[in-house]
Amino acid sequence: MPELELAPYAVTKSTHGRRVLEPSPPGRSEFQRDRDRIIHSAAFRRLEYKTQVFVNHEGDLFRTRLTHSIEVAQIGRSIARRLGLNEDLVEAISLAHDLGHTPFGHAGQEALNDCMKDHGGFEHNLQSLRVVDLLEERYAAFDGLNLCFETREGILKHCSREHAAQLGNVGERFLKGRRPNLEAQVANLADEIAYNNHDVDDGLRSGLLTLEQLSSVRLFAQHLEEVRTAYPDLAERRVVHETVRRMINTLVTDLIRQTEHNIREHAPRCVDDVRAAPPLVAFSTEMHEFNRELKSFLRTHLYRHYRVMRMTAKARRIIGDLFQAFMEDPRLLPPQFNPQAESDRARSVADYIAGMTDRYAIREHRRIFAIEEI
Ligand code: MG
């Protein structure tokens, strides 16, 4: 199949390299190989049983981190293709971006970060990098997946200066105030488009949100109106889907248009120019504002809904209890997580807990604390 022509500012087929030198893969690009390694990793399969807002056992139709990551890849690839960027790289970054997430979504991340506050903290972006650089044990010649620099820099979306200084070339941009490649910028915003929209859909499906409430959000209201005018008798589930898909389309189209404008204005000739320029992948000012309104609606009405807060509280308790139990007695840890040195104990415990799925964490809590399980 003929290769689509890449723009001069795209990441081309060659890479800045892998941490361990490997010959180029015959028959696929470096970034296709990264994507394939990610899909075959254990951490990727675990995403099926990790959630963002709803806990895995709440219903079969809610998004999990796996379906979320696939939606991010879909949106990211569509944008990349339109902009002449490297689709394989966007796909690899999208599929890997949540690999380091704890069980129970943001509640889990916050709880684990609190537990780790005297031990260097816990941050899911850094953990995603740790998974692909170190924790996956699959290859004979190296730890981790030995991904390309460009994929790794895309996975490391945020990073403190303190951590960046310890990460070598992939941390450099945070110290020098530079941007990552455009493919990473696309994956980042595709993530945001995906979760805002699927959280609206899941929020409505769960009954935690209502169409009436959502009518206060301009982006939603405008598309809802459009659907209702065109199809006055449509069943509600279809109305929701039609509205959400139009929202995604509007956001994607706006993002492409604004990014094309930014690229024309800054005229990058290569990836290095992209790194030195301000962020080029962006929404228009108006769409940025609509998007912000949607995010703040979701924060108030969904993420802080009392039923979500109850689950959040339970998740914090589970993570806190597990952390404390393993710290007090590391002999409870499975042997592969038993730290070699006393000084590594907290990080080993964090790695073990972060790798758990929602249901595994619930079961592990029961195995350790419930007397009737003995
Ligand atoms: Mg995400």
Side-chain angles (χ1 to χ4, degrees):
M1 223 168 54
E3 291 262 355
L4 287 172
E5 185 111 13
L6 293 182
Y9 37 80
V11 172
T12 54
K13 277 183 241 161
S14 61
T15 165
H16 276 328
R18 299 173 187 272
R19 297 166 87 209
V20 179
L21 196 65
E22 291 184 76
S24 301
R28 31 175 198 170
S29 75
E30 296 282 1
F31 304 109
Q32 283 176 317
R33 171 154 73 182
D34 279 7
R35 175 205 55 205
D36 298 347
R37 286 183 176 181
I38 291 159
I39 289 178
H40 288 272
S41 70
F44 185 70
R45 285 194 298 282
R46 287 195 205 108
L47 295 177
E48 185 175 1
Y49 299 104
K50 292 191 182 198
T51 46
Q52 311 212 103
V53 180
F54 299 90
V55 172
N56 195 264
H57 57 72
E58 290 181 289
D60 291 344
L61 280 178
F62 296 120
R63 267 64 172 193
T64 65
R65 287 213 183 264
L66 181 64
T67 60
H68 161 71
S69 300
I70 295 170
E71 288 183 28
V72 175
Q74 178 273 314
I75 293 171
R77 287 180 57 187
S78 299
I79 298 170
R81 189 178 290 210
R82 285 279 302 276
L83 293 171
L85 299 177
N86 192 322
E87 238 181 286
D88 296 333
L89 176 56
V90 171
E91 187 180 17
I93 296 170
S94 302
L95 294 178
H97 84 283
D98 271 354
L99 290 180
H101 263 287
T102 59
F104 313 121
H106 293 288
Q109 133 94 27
E110 275 169 33
L112 195 52
N113 189 32
D114 284 350
C115 295
M116 288 293 287
K117 66 177 183 301
D118 297 329
H119 311 281
F122 179 88
E123 212 280 307
H124 64 85
N125 278 298
L126 276 175
Q127 190 69 10
S128 296
L129 194 64
R130 205 170 147 76
V131 167
V132 301
D133 281 355
L134 193 70
L135 297 178
E136 280 287 321
E137 294 180 341
R138 311 181 62 77
Y139 296 89
F142 44 78
D143 285 337
L145 306 178
N146 198 33
L147 302 182
C148 295
F149 168 81
E150 293 77 3
T151 313
R152 295 172 62 236
E153 81 162 338
I155 292 172
L156 192 64
K157 199 161 57 179
H158 312 287
C159 186
S160 67
R161 290 181 68 85
E162 190 193 341
H163 285 129
Q166 299 160 17
L167 290 172
N169 61 0
V170 87
E172 255 172 43
R173 73 180 169 93
F174 297 98
L175 303 172
K176 293 182 176 165
R178 287 160 70 90
R179 252 60 53 194
N181 55 63
L182 288 176
E183 286 77 359
Q185 297 184 33
V186 165
N188 184 14
L189 283 169
D191 184 21
E192 191 165 324
I193 295 174
Y195 67 68
N196 286 331
N197 285 283
H198 65 51
D199 287 353
V200 166
D201 187 45
D202 283 350
L204 286 166
R205 178 179 291 105
S206 64
L208 301 191
L209 299 179
T210 63
L211 282 177
E212 203 185 347
Q213 280 177 316
L214 267 158
S215 300
S216 67
V217 179
R218 282 176 291 174
L219 188 63
F220 189 88
Q222 167 196 328
H223 292 99
L224 177 66
E225 169 77 26
E226 217 178 88
V227 174
R228 285 208 158 133
T229 307
Y231 305 97
D233 301 319
L234 202 60
E236 184 164 313
R237 254 340 292 172
R238 289 205 209 202
V239 170
V240 172
H241 183 69
E242 275 292 334
T243 306
V244 170
R245 85 174 180 91
R246 282 158 202 247
M247 274 167 43
I248 296 176
N249 198 32
T250 298
L251 288 160
V252 166
T253 308
D254 177 88
L255 184 82
I256 291 169
R257 202 177 301 135
Q258 185 62 41
T259 304
E260 281 171 342
H261 170 86
N262 296 346
I263 287 172
R264 270 195 307 276
E265 192 168 285
H266 291 272
R269 285 152 304 169
C270 59
V271 183
D272 273 342
D273 289 351
V274 166
R275 295 180 195 284
L280 298 177
V281 180
F283 294 115
S284 65
T285 318
E286 188 194 35
M287 199 55 66
H288 181 79
E289 180 51 32
F290 283 167
N291 197 44
R292 201 198 51 74
E293 190 180 278
L294 172 61
K295 276 161 67 168
S296 101
F297 171 89
L298 288 170
R299 205 175 311 120
T300 314
H301 297 278
L302 184 62
Y303 310 143
R304 292 187 193 146
H305 191 286
Y306 84 96
R307 274 170 54 199
V308 174
M309 294 313 294
R310 284 182 180 196
M311 197 54 235
T312 301
K314 214 184 286 185
R316 292 190 73 86
R317 201 161 313 127
I318 292 174
I319 301 260
D321 285 351
L322 288 176
F323 187 84
Q324 201 187 348
F326 295 132
M327 285 301 279
E328 276 169 13
D329 190 353
R331 291 171 305 176
L332 304 179
L333 286 165
Q336 68 272 29
F337 287 97
N338 220 320
Q340 304 287 317
E342 177 64 34
S343 57
D344 295 337
R345 186 185 295 183
R347 190 55 60 192
S348 299
V349 171
D351 285 341
Y352 181 43
I353 293 176
M356 293 178 186
T357 61
D358 298 358
R359 61 184 191 172
Y360 185 93
I362 293 168
R363 272 192 226 141
E364 187 71 336
H365 190 268
R366 212 177 287 147
R367 278 193 288 262
I368 290 180
F369 291 96
I371 302 299
E372 67 271 21
E373 286 285 308
I374 295 172

